[in-house]
Amino acid sequence: MERQRVEIPYAPRKWARKLHASLARWSALVLHRRAGKTTAVLNHHQRAAMDDTWERQRLEALLPKADQAQIAELMKKRRIYWHVMPTLKQAKLVAWNMLKDFSRPIPGIKVNNSELEVTYPTGNIVRLMGADDPDSLRGPGLAGASL
């Protein structure tokens, strides 16, 4: 099924273009305050949740020995992406409205205000978490996480 291309009002800063182009498993961003890290990372997770072609390329780069059947099996799984901030309160204060605004143009999204979670039409999820309750960080196998 062909998905409609949705235009998200996001123009990455110069440093963020390298992050978005990378298929690497790990990235470390060392940037000053107000550099746009949260904006870039939330948009990065959102793209990963929506773009199966990009996710397939990432998996092929990370798992060079996997055959196409193994990649296809991984692609069937629902992908979950977390953005973890020092506290859940800070996640809600700093990033929740941003995530809702970034996802708003996408038809068929489901916003869960109590869980600070957006579910995309693909079934994939981007969720905000707080590191102040370490036990809450157990659970699903994540397709992506940012701290």
Side-chain angles (χ1 to χ4, degrees):
M1 179 172 120
E2 188 68 27
R3 286 201 186 92
Q4 175 184 338
R5 193 110 175 122
V6 177
E7 203 57 41
I8 304 298
Y10 166 64
R13 295 181 182 187
K14 187 176 179 179
W15 66 263
R17 290 186 205 122
K18 290 180 184 178
L19 168 70
H20 298 318
S22 175
L23 298 174
R25 183 177 180 134
W26 307 103
S27 294
L29 304 175
V30 181
L31 298 158
H32 60 81
R33 292 185 72 245
R34 309 288 304 158
K37 298 177 293 291
T38 301
T39 299
V41 168
L42 291 177
N43 276 285
H44 192 75
H45 286 321
Q46 180 169 271
R47 190 255 322 250
M50 289 290 298
D51 189 343
D52 288 344
T53 302
W54 183 83
E55 182 64 11
R56 178 178 289 279
Q57 289 173 343
R58 189 182 74 86
L59 288 171
E60 289 170 349
L62 293 175
L63 306 167
K65 294 182 181 177
D67 61 32
Q68 288 305 308
Q70 291 169 314
I71 297 291
E73 198 59 37
L74 289 170
M75 289 299 296
K76 289 179 188 175
K77 294 181 179 181
R78 177 171 66 176
R79 300 188 302 269
I80 301 171
Y81 302 88
W82 282 358
H83 182 58
V84 183
M85 297 193 79
T87 67
L88 188 59
K89 184 175 182 177
Q90 183 181 20
K92 187 173 185 176
L93 180 70
V94 173
W96 181 230
N97 284 334
M98 292 169 70
L99 180 57
K100 289 190 295 184
D101 288 345
F102 299 150
S103 64
R104 189 170 288 122
I106 302 168
I109 61 159
K110 293 179 184 151
V111 174
N112 186 329
N113 285 300
S114 63
E115 298 294 331
L116 303 184
E117 172 179 288
V118 174
T119 302
Y120 294 86
T122 57
N124 302 322
I125 293 171
V126 174
R127 185 173 187 179
L128 302 179
M129 301 293 290
D132 50 337
D133 181 8
D135 289 334
S136 72
L137 300 177
R138 295 183 189 158
L142 300 174
S146 51
L147 308 170

